[in-house]
Amino acid sequence: MFPDYRERAFARQTDSSYSDINKNFISQASEGSIDPKEYIVGPGDKLLISISGLQDINLTLMINQEGMLFIPKVGIIDLRNATLEKTKEKISVAVNKYYKNVDVFISLVDFRNIRVSLLGDVKKPSSYILPGNARLSDLIFASYGLDSTSNYRDIRIENNQGASNSYDLLSFLRYGDRANNPLLREGDVVIVDKVDKVVAVRGEVKYPGVYEFVKGESAAHLIKIAGGFTGKARTDTIEIVQFDNNGRHQRSSYFSYEELINKNILLDNQDVILVREIPEYFVDRFVQVRGWVKYPGYYKIVEDKTSLYDVINEAGGFIKDASLADASLNRTMGTVDYDPEYERLKTMQRKDMSDDEYDYFKAKSRQQKGKVVVDFSELFNKHDMTENVILKKGDSIYVPEAKNYIIMLGQVVNPGNVIYQKGLKVSDYIKIAG
């Protein structure tokens, strides 16, 4: 069992041309602006230094391969591992030591390229060249992608100094959590692990599914990752199904959502959270009336109480030319959409069917799906309440226009519709049809 939430399609590209398309992406900056407190400058970054005073001086300078910046007449400034914010401070201090009473403006005008490595459970472990403001998601998007078994929630990044941090890429993909989509730095090694342990959340959450197990994650946090509850969720009794220590038998524990938060209930491998629906909650009960009634449309019904007679009266009754003989009531609740025997017979030729099979096939072919047998004429003209039907949600009532013609089919000279004339016999209509 592997994670199956929708964001996993984000970087599972299989078309080799996908990465060719992304070569253009790799050469571009991923963001329109950067945070000076976050961005670390390095060799190849270009800085604009504008000095305004008795005379204006504009310089475009590049940080050298040792992380130093040389400013004519000012000297060399060490910018190794400095943020852009710290870089501006250092340059301003150095310039003001040489130039008195001047205004200094400093801006990053061009990014350097950095080389980072993507390793582990990925389609193509390799090194990639990215713009200096690229983030983890940019690397994943620009590469050949992750595998179906890749662990999105525990991606490790090791830097040149050997420091290592783990990031939950799903938190960024789902909620835009930038803390889990860090800027990459020169020499970073990004390691994607393979999914080994999973948990699941089922039922009334916005994104139910199987998720990677994260050590130390609470049930409340996984519910948050899964989008939180839907409007129909029953939050007073949340079931957590767990295996015993031997991994052979499951047991259930029940908590309210408040208890999950207050007690900080932690999850373990193969745990399943079940969030059930509040019974009979926000169940809409409508029927539709179409055709030759005074006020066609949708009508609310009361379960086990509202009848066909009630709804037709609420719809204003029938209008002129309504055909009660052809009116119908169709029901979708409880109807069987799939009949394996009928589907089997559809694939057979008549010569291969028995007589019983053929009779069943003909009867099933003529059957009107969901039709409820009701004599509208008996009910509304003669008030025979034995024909009255208690309606169910989703029922559809259709009252067609009365036909003013007789249909002539078969061996007549002019088959088709012949206008109905009161008093004419069958033989008269045959004569009219030629």
Side-chain angles (χ1 to χ4, degrees), residues 281-297:
Y281 187 64
F282 284 128
V283 178
D284 60 333
R285 295 183 174 88
F286 293 96
V287 297
Q288 185 181 19
V289 183
R290 300 178 295 124
W292 261 244
V293 294
K294 191 171 183 179
Y295 305 112

Side-chain angles (χ1 to χ4, degrees), residues 6 8 114 125 231 248 326 328 339 372:
R6 64 179 188 175
R8 296 187 66 81
I114 60 174
R248 296 180 180 274
D326 297 315
S328 62
D339 183 341
V372 179

